[in-house]
Amino acid sequence: MRAYTLLSFYQQITATDWGAVVLPVCAGLAVLYMVYAFFFRTKSSPEAVVDRPELNVALSNFLSGYFAEEWDTVESQIEIDHFKHTFLDQAEACRLVLRKLLAPASPYRNKANLPKLNTLVKEWNLEAFIVKELSSTNETVKVETLEYAKAVPSLQLKDTVTQLAFYGAESIRIPALASLLELCNYQPDTLRIYPHTLTKDDVQQLVALYGHQTQWVAEQLPTWLEATEPQFLWFCLALAQEYKLPVEMRTLQQLAFHAHKSLGAIAIHLLDGYLQPESQDALQQYRKRVVLEQPLPETPPANTNALQQAIN
């Protein structure tokens, strides 16, 4: 009965002049809207943007031409602007660009390409995107983005990474601290004011960053060991032990008899393996008289409330 009523109503409308025109037009518009909505959703989907073959091809072609210096200054600027306005309107597309440009294994991430990399970071607003990614609630995204941040010499990024290292979640602090040391050209002064107590594993992770800097570390070590902060001294001694770096006997004696007895014990424990025999005997006597009578030393206390000093 209902179907008959609807059919009768449709026949009455189409029998009129205006009904015969309006209904087909409305039906056509509805079909066009459904087609438009389908393709619009596909285009605006981040996954679709990244999976589009033309994005990967265009990025590969751009990077090849740009870093091979096939274009002059004007052509390069035109290509940079075209790629930006064509592809970089989605977060996933920006992440793909970061992986291609700034991942540790990227062939474009080297000193020779640094000026060109800095140009792309600026023109494509990648620094702002990196800062945004570092504020993500996804820790996997944060850790991955910290790798990209190390390749961008920026005060803003340094401040953001410092915030993560000092006040971020416990699981993100050490990766952020490692990135901060690299952003500071491996100068470890941040550790003098770091507000959290480092574990032995933490120290080992940070020490591992200096594997290709041993000659420079050996030159700096005497100056660093003049510091007074126990946690920083512990890090310095860990460097000396890991890379078998020479330390002056006078400095060793001062550290062994440090007012902080736990640090004195750690100094002997770390340096004992490669001290000169004649000096080692004297320190072994100290060990018997004092150090071994103490309980196993705990991790030295860290400095606190020093974020502004790190940023400066």
Side-chain angles (χ1 to χ4, degrees):
M1 183 67 182
R2 179 176 300 179
Y4 175 82
T5 303
L6 290 174
L7 178 61
S8 176
F9 178 71
Y10 174 79
Q11 290 174 341
Q12 292 177 11
I13 292 179
T14 54
T16 63
D17 293 338
W18 63 269
V21 175
V22 171
L23 283 181
V25 169
C26 291
L29 290 175
V31 171
L32 287 175
Y33 174 78
M34 288 187 289
V35 172
Y36 169 78
F38 172 79
F39 284 105
F40 179 78
R41 284 196 299 270
T42 302
K43 182 177 180 181
S44 60
S45 168
E47 293 77 13
V49 170
V50 174
D51 290 341
R52 285 188 324 202
E54 61 265 31
L55 170 59
N56 291 279
V57 172
L59 181 58
S60 297
N61 291 339
F62 172 85
L63 295 177
S64 297
Y66 180 71
F67 286 102
E69 299 184 351
E70 296 178 358
W71 310 318
D72 60 27
T73 304
V74 175
E75 289 174 328
S76 294
Q77 189 61 53
I78 292 173
E79 294 292 339
I80 289 172
D81 292 340
H82 173 73
F83 190 90
K84 175 183 178 181
H85 296 301
T86 304
F87 297 106
L88 298 185
D89 56 347
Q90 298 292 334
E92 286 299 326
C94 293
R95 293 188 186 109
L96 177 64
V97 169
L98 288 177
R99 293 188 195 106
K100 293 286 188 180
L101 282 179
L102 303 180
S106 170
Y108 308 107
R109 180 175 166 173
N110 54 62
K111 290 184 178 180
N113 289 332
L114 189 57
K116 285 184 169 291
L117 278 176
N118 289 340
T119 297
L120 290 182
V121 168
K122 179 181 179 181
E123 293 289 339
W124 288 349
N125 298 324
L126 294 179
E127 180 180 335
F129 183 76
I130 291 174
V131 171
K132 181 180 178 181
E133 292 288 271
L134 289 176
S135 65
S136 169
T137 56
N138 187 324
E139 288 198 8
T140 302
V141 171
K142 282 185 179 179
V143 172
E144 181 180 1
T145 308
L146 283 170
E147 287 294 333
Y148 309 146
K150 292 188 291 190
V152 181
S154 160
L155 289 177
Q156 182 183 10
L157 280 178
K158 180 182 175 183
D159 292 350
T160 303
V161 174
T162 300
Q163 290 279 351
L164 284 176
F166 278 59
Y167 297 126
E170 185 175 354
S171 58
I172 201 68
R173 289 176 194 160
I174 297 305
L177 184 57
S179 297
L180 182 59
L181 288 176
E182 293 195 42
L183 284 171
C184 295
N185 296 319
Y186 298 95
Q187 290 287 349
D189 292 339
T190 298
L191 297 178
R192 301 179 68 170
I193 55 176
Y194 189 61
H196 303 288
T197 299
L198 297 172
T199 67
K200 184 177 180 180
D201 288 341
D202 295 339
V203 171
Q204 290 304 313
Q205 288 185 49
L206 300 178
V207 166
L209 299 174
Y210 292 79
H212 62 295
Q213 303 275 352
T214 53
Q215 183 176 351
W216 175 73
V217 170
E219 296 170 355
Q220 301 298 318
L221 201 55
T223 302
W224 294 346
L225 288 172
E226 293 176 0
T228 58
E229 295 82 7
Q231 184 155 265
F232 179 71
L233 289 171
W234 180 29
F235 170 75
C236 294
L237 295 178
L239 284 172
Q241 182 193 42
E242 178 68 22
Y243 301 114
K244 301 296 185 288
L245 303 177
V247 181
E248 293 182 359
M249 289 299 103
R250 181 178 178 182
T251 302
L252 293 177
Q253 291 171 350
Q254 290 174 345
L255 291 175
F257 289 90
H258 195 280
H260 193 295
K261 282 186 167 46
S262 293
L263 178 58
I266 292 172
I268 293 177
H269 175 72
L270 292 174
L271 300 175
D272 186 62
Y274 63 95
L275 293 175
Q276 295 297 324
E278 58 272 21
S279 300
Q280 184 176 2
D281 292 339
L283 290 175
Q284 288 288 9
Q285 293 300 320
Y286 175 78
R287 178 199 295 275
K288 292 177 181 179
R289 289 187 293 104
V290 179
V291 179
L292 292 183
E293 296 175 2
Q294 303 295 326
L296 185 65
E298 299 178 354
T299 302
N303 203 344
T304 56
N305 302 323
L307 176 59
Q308 191 59 45
Q309 298 180 49
I311 295 177
N312 295 333

